[in-house]
Amino acid sequence: MEEELKCPVCGSLFREPIILPCSHNVCLPCARTIAVQTPDGEQHLPQPLLHSRGSGLPAAAAAAPPLDQDPAAGPACSGGSGGAAGGLGGGAGGGGDHADKLSLYSETDSGYGSYTPSLKSPNGVRVLPMVPAPPGSSAAAARGAACSSLSSSSSSSITCPQCHRSASLDHRGLRGFQRNRLLEAIVQRYQQGRGAVHGASAAAAVAICQLCDRTPPEPAATLCEQCDVLYCAACQLKCHPSRGPFAKHRLVQPPPPPAPAEAASASPGAAQGAPSGGGGCKSPGGAGAGAAGGGAARKFPTCPEHEMENYSMYCVSCRTPVCYLCLEEGRHGKHEVKQLGAMWKQHKAQLSQALNGVSDKAKEAKEFLVQLKNILQQIQENGLDYEACLVAQCDALVDALTRQKAKLLTKVTKEREHKLKMVWDQINHCTLKLRQSTGLMEYCLEVIKENDPSGFLQISDALIKRVQVSQEQWVKGALEPKVSAEFDLTLDSEPLLQAIHQLDFIQMKLPPVPLLQLEKCCTHNNSVTLAWRMPPFTHSPVDGYILELDDGDGGQFREVYVGKETLCTIDGLHFNSTYNARVKAFNTSGVGPYSKTVVLQTSDVAWFTFDPNSGHRDIILSNDNQTATCSSYDDRVVLGTAAFSKGVHYWELHVDRYDNHPDPAFGVARASVVKDMMLGKDDKAWAMYVDNNRSWFMHCNSHTNRTEGGVCKGATVGVLLDLNKHTLTFFINGQQQGPTAFSHVDGVFMPALSLNRNVQVTLHTGLEVPTNLGRPKLSGN
């Protein structure tokens, strides 16, 4: 977690961290060093000209006051922590339009602004050079002169050292950025847990003035709650007069530092129970001051625009806490706002949920590392075994095998080195990711412990995104070994001596067991689809696969597919049946073992439509092939897409149009039925044809079983096919027309229909078999 608590500029633990617009954090003293001042005249130059400037700092920037002070504060602009004494930046001048242009230029540029500083911090980030004080003057006088010489027509910007996005500073300078007091508290707890507070207790024993030029600095007499700066009596009169803009600031006594025993016994639990908000007084040392202030109750943070008001709401549009004055008078008046406590709980829950995913991946990574280390040991052992076997075989061939033995040893060594290198690379890569994820987890857990809603919401969005990105880094396959510990090298020592120079490793083995991909195996109506693959790290070649399926009644397996594909669909199975399937692979060495058996259940009822490929060319289908009509006055046949060979099935046809009393026919047929005549006139179909008064059963052009009752527009014709009893029963508007037997007929039957242009019907399938002679219930389309 320590890496999460270090400033990207100075590389040390955060001191007075502020939140940049990009959601990254930086120390306030470091922010002064990386801020860049741009004269007003440069803002109107084109972007290429801005970047063609030299890296020297303009004179106007050298004389600028610290960026975290209000320009209207007069001499107070010389204040700041010891780490920011030499940090210079731009003023608050320049209109809003210029600031927007400067921000736009900076975001599209990969640099740090129009003036490139020349120095670098310990972490590799460029910072502004220190500006020496004019000769013959004190540092305070020099800062006062710099403040007085500030041009009102200048603007400043700061570039994030992590994502390199730039942001313009307004009239408040760096004080316009919110203070990350939650991060301060976590750093403080971390220092206490690490024992750093003991080394800092001596320096923080007495709160000292943060603006003193004396050596040593004078003890602090006053703390300004708005400026968050400690003053001695002399510096308070000089830098913080009680008039003008400072008249509204509240000056209080600096809080006493905790006793050494109290600081040593402070625990994270105690810090968590303290009120939310920022820390107490600060010393020039930064980290020591933060540790010293941790024992005292932290005050609630105030709104930077309304310094006397605490946060009470959360602006959803701007994603920031706001006070009630921001809603009544400020720019958040028309924005969507929600309760601070509700959003705090919501974001904390989101962060916890995202953190669970990273925690699971970290656990898998630890187990994966153990697996990789076991593979290392197995590779070493297997490598030694192969070397010993190889040496024994080569020694038996005496001098004739000496040269070939060296070549074969080289192959084994290279194979082992290759496997070891790949495993070590995986170990190093996985260890690095695990360390990063673990550090982020520890940091997030500390954030979740915090009870400061506003502080939490300041960083929650960015932290949630980081956790989600960290989880996405564990892509599929990242926790799988890239190599196996096995050495697929087999030496054959039987060939004659004249074949010794062609001696090499034989890698041919029987193929391993295929793995069924259950997530891709499925059933649809009376067809099943199976998919499989070979296990990883398989070096044996595969020439093809054999798929076997039983008969649906637990009988013998039979081959249904032989080929090289790893996906197969079998059609024409029984409805409402359970099938067992298995697969095996083969190559020139033989047939490998069977896979595990997968059980597949076909549909209970049939869902089908009219088949456009089986119908006569005069048949016209619509409504997703569920509605049929004909363009000819002669009878034409169309079949359904389902094929039945077993079980009981029922479907209905609704008569949408019935003109001039035609004779449509309904029933079942073989796939080879004649398509250009009425259904039932050949021996391949069994049907009922009906007019507006009566119906007949017809097969082989023979009319039988005449029944009164015909069809009209709006009528419903039901067809009940019972292949267990070999019967075909018809219903017209729910009235049974009598069962018709077609005994001793086996094979595959498909729903069939014949009609001409005077009739239009719509098919309804997926229906339950009717249990009485009444009208069957229509249960689906």
Side-chain angles (χ1 to χ4, degrees), residues 147-218:
C147 182
S148 62
S149 63
L150 174 64
S151 171
S152 61
S153 61
S154 62
S155 62
S156 303
S157 65
I158 185 170
T159 301
C160 175
Q162 290 183 275
C163 65
H164 306 300
R165 296 187 62 179
S166 298
S168 298
L169 276 64
D170 56 13
H171 65 280
R172 296 173 295 174
L174 294 176
R175 291 295 179 183
F177 297 133
Q178 296 185 12
R179 183 84 163 270
N180 194 340
R181 302 189 183 275
L182 180 61
L183 180 57
E184 278 187 273
I186 294 176
V187 170
Q188 173 188 331
R189 290 202 302 265
Y190 178 76
Q191 289 176 326
Q192 291 175 345
R194 199 178 56 174
V197 70
H198 296 292
S201 59
V206 178
I208 59 175
C209 177
Q210 293 179 277
L211 300 180
C212 262
D213 295 327
R214 301 175 180 84
T215 305
E218 294 290 331

Side-chain angles (χ1 to χ4, degrees), residues 7 26 43 98 115 117 155 178 202 232 307 314 330 334 341 374 506 527 554 587 745 759 768:
C7 172
V26 68
Q43 298 181 22
H98 300 316
Y115 297 96
S155 62
Q178 296 185 12
C232 66
E307 297 178 339
Y314 179 79
K334 296 182 179 180
N374 291 335
I506 295 179
S527 65
N587 58 18
V745 178
V759 183
E768 297 292 340

